[in-house]
């Protein structure tokens, strides 16, 4: 079958140059035009995804117009949520429901920055970091960056939850089998389940501005997801403590309810 009738072609003509120079100029022009068309096509497809909220497989990595991964942020999932990972993941994805996209094998979300009119695809999932003698500060999944500036525990009366410190993350680590039922090679092998947010979009342009914009977007979304995880962990602990006031709290529970180094909520002086 021939090409569709509505396909437009770009023609370029180079004149007034030696054959060698004309060929080089034509090659450079063709490369620049192809890159410009690729960027323009991706912008149009992203806008269509945002308008229709329908998945377009051409934009996923490996697709005909696959987007670049601009950032990957992770934070540890509280151990109380490990027992029912699918439910925890569904709840976290529900927190991004205003950005949800229908269809597709993977679960994607679309986010449009109104100020800059840039559009991004988001993907949220869980990954398991394993290794012998895993460090106290768990490494991010597949080269990601552990997000900074998670909800503060310093302000009295503010939200309380797992502190993004080495102590809290170390307390949250536990021996846990991955989704593929991999068995730890020996007793010192550790596993840390992480929530992973991937941001896909157009690379290039003003690199500094693009990085700052992506960082601003992902930091806000990670804060939102982190607070949602805190709410789920707190709900589980509340039910458990209501059923059994003498429940023995784990180190991760204690770090969650009272982060290490947090100031006291109240003080009192008594005469001896």
């Amino acid at each position: 079958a021939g090409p569709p009738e509505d396909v437009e072609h770009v023609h370029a003509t180079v004149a007034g140059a030696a054959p060698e120079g004309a060929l080089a100029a034509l090659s450079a022009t063709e490369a620049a035009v192809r890159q410009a068309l690729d960027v323009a096509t991706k912008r149009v497809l992203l806008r269509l995804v945002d308008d229709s909220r329908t998945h377009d497989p051409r934009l996923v990595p490996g697709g005909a117009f696959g987007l670049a991964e601009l950032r990957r942020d992770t934070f540890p999932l509280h151990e109380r949520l490990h027992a029912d990972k699918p439910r925890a993941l569904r709840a976290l994805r529900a927190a991004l429901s205003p950005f949800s996209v229908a269809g597709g094998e993977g679960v994607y979300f679309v986010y449009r920055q109104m100020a800059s009119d840039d559009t991004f695809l988001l993907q949220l999932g869980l990954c398991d970091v394993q290794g012998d003698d895993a460090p106290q500060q768990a490494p991010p999944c597949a080269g990601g960056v552990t997000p900074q500036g998670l909800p503060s525990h310093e302000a009295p009366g503010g939200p309380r939850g797992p502190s993004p410190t080495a102590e809290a993350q170390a307390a949250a680590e536990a021996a846990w089998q991955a989704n593929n039922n991999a068995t730890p090679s020996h007793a010192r092998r550790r596993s840390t389940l992480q929530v992973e947010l991937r941001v896909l979009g157009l690379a290039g342009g003003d690199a500094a501005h693009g990085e700052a914009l992506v960082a601003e977007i992902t930091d806000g979304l990670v804060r939102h997801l982190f607070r949602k995880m805190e709410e789920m962990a707190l709900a589980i602990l509340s039910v458990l403590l209501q059923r059994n006031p003498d429940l023995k709290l784990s180190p991760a529970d204690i770090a969650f309810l009272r982060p290490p180094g947090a100031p006291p909520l109240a003080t009192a002086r008594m005469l001896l």
Side-chain angles (χ1 to χ4, degrees):
E5 296 182 358
D6 59 349
V7 172
E8 298 289 343
H9 298 275
V10 177
H11 298 273
T13 302
V14 179
E20 297 80 4
L23 182 59
L26 184 61
S27 298
T29 302
E30 180 183 3
V33 170
R34 286 183 179 275
Q35 182 179 7
L37 289 175
D38 182 72
V39 171
T41 302
K42 290 177 180 178
R43 290 188 185 278
V44 171
L45 293 179
L46 276 172
R47 179 59 63 86
L48 290 175
V49 170
D50 181 55
D51 291 341
S52 65
R53 297 296 168 136
T54 303
H55 175 70
D56 191 332
R58 292 172 294 180
L59 291 173
V60 303
F65 298 97
L67 299 173
E69 181 177 292
L70 304 180
R71 181 157 170 157
R72 182 183 299 211
D73 279 5
T74 64
F75 59 89
L77 184 71
H78 192 277
E79 67 176 21
R80 290 290 180 182
L81 303 176
H82 288 194
D84 194 348
K85 295 176 297 180
R87 181 180 180 183
L89 183 57
R90 286 195 301 268
L92 289 173
R93 285 174 173 169
L96 297 181
S97 59
F99 315 114
S100 61
V101 172
E105 295 182 359
V107 179
Y108 287 91
F109 305 86
V110 62
Y111 183 93
R112 181 180 174 189
Q113 173 64 278
M114 301 303 295
S116 63
D117 204 31
D118 290 317
T119 308
F120 304 91
L121 284 186
L122 312 174
Q123 193 173 28
L124 182 67
L126 299 177
C127 63
D128 194 30
V129 176
Q130 295 190 14
D132 298 332
D133 300 319
Q136 296 295 305
Q137 181 75 25
C141 306
V145 179
T146 301
Q148 302 297 321
L150 291 176
S152 172
H153 307 279
E154 300 299 327
R160 295 199 300 268
S163 172
T165 62
E167 294 83 0
Q169 293 202 28
E173 292 182 15
W176 180 83
Q177 289 189 335
N179 292 331
N180 58 3
N181 294 323
T183 302
S185 59
H186 53 75
R188 299 184 67 186
R189 186 171 181 82
R190 298 189 178 203
S191 169
T192 302
L193 194 62
Q194 303 268 330
V195 179
E196 180 182 74
L197 177 66
R198 299 175 63 209
V199 181
L200 308 175
L202 293 172
D206 187 343
H209 171 74
E211 290 179 3
L213 177 61
V214 173
E216 178 183 354
I217 293 172
T218 53
D219 286 348
L221 292 174
V222 167
R223 285 176 180 269
H224 178 59
L225 293 169
F226 193 82
R227 291 191 179 101
K228 180 63 177 180
M229 184 195 69
E230 287 186 320
E231 292 175 2
M232 291 188 291
L234 184 59
I236 292 176
L237 281 174
S238 298
V239 171
L240 293 175
L241 289 172
Q242 287 176 0
R243 293 177 178 176
N244 181 15
D246 297 325
L247 175 71
K248 183 178 180 180
L249 298 177
S250 69
D253 294 333
I254 297 174
F256 171 73
L257 297 172
R258 195 67 189 150
L265 298 179
T267 57
R269 294 184 179 182
M270 295 177 289
L271 296 176
L272 293 176

